[in-house]
Amino acid sequence: MKKLLAMMLASVILLGVTSCGGNNPADTTETQAPVTAGESAEGATDAPEDTATEETAAEGDILNISLATTPETIDPNLGSALDSGNYANHLFEGLMRYKWDGTGVEFGMAESYEVSDDGLVWTFKLRDSQWSDGQPVKAQDFVFSWQRLVDPEVAAPYNMDMGKYINNGAAIVEGTLPKEELGVKAVDDKTLEVTLQNPTPYFDQLAAFATFSPLRQDTIEANGDNWTKTPETYLSNGPFKMLSYTPDDRFECVPNPGYWDAASVKPAQINWL
């Protein structure tokens, strides 16, 4: 668990480098009533006017970052180290996302959610957003990813750590129930219903963790373990998408034009060395 928390913290710190302005919704940690994206944080002020010169802006278009090692995996379900988490948090986005200043979470793929009176059922409404190949992000993408996460045949490192929060997750990881019994359901393309094992007021914070990112069933089933190797198969739904990947050398990514908050994404390219 210490390793998991360290990974979450490091991801927040690095996101501050590439994340950008835009809305900072109110902290969502204490909510039972519907919460909607776009609510301003109390006391928030407008960002200062950007006075950078054209030369400075041009120099900032490409960001080079040294990670020193090639990650063991860049599959969001399977990552358990800081390097893979940093990739995942830039190329994928869950229902919630970390605030750029590290003060909590705000809405990501979800634009709002409601929590039942008993605290067990969370119903998320999704934004209109696109994968890197232009296909719409759907609630079914979350269902597939979360069922894959707890599938004992996949053996994801955080299958029990994260799966135990969702109804039947622990039993599925232990092999006593099929993955289809996980408490997550696509009511329709834009509505995801999550039933928890126990009331978890901080589930919105967990929903920002990279392991809970949505994944595309078609590309993973068609390409198996090789789905992470090329831009054509490594479909992502977050602010950035893969441009090229050379193991033991570099991972290059550029903004995903179909991302719901694409207008706020910068720089124009990130090179992970």
Side-chain angles (χ1 to χ4, degrees), residues 164-181:
K164 67 183 179 183
Y165 292 101
I166 304 174
N167 193 43
N168 294 331
I172 296 169
V173 173
E174 293 169 349
T176 60
L177 283 177
K179 63 183 180 181
E180 290 77 15
E181 293 297 318

Side-chain angles (χ1 to χ4, degrees), residues 14 17 21 23 44 64 102 110 157 159 220 225 227 229 236 265:
L14 189 52
V17 177
N23 297 330
N64 294 309
N159 54 9
I220 292 177
D225 293 340
W227 81 275
K229 302 294 179 62
S236 60
V265 175

Side-chain angles (χ1 to χ4, degrees), residues 47-53 56-57 266:
E49 182 178 354
D50 187 357
T51 58
T53 64
T56 302
K266 54 187 177 182

Side-chain angles (χ1 to χ4, degrees), residues 12 59 85 205:
V12 172
E59 292 174 358
Q205 299 177 57

Side-chain angles (χ1 to χ4, degrees), residues 212-229:
F212 279 146
S213 299
L215 294 175
R216 280 278 293 275
Q217 182 174 0
D218 54 350
T219 190
I220 292 177
E221 291 185 346
N223 298 282
D225 293 340
N226 291 322
W227 81 275
T228 62
K229 302 294 179 62

Side-chain angles (χ1 to χ4, degrees), residues 63 150 226:
L63 178 64
V150 298
N226 291 322

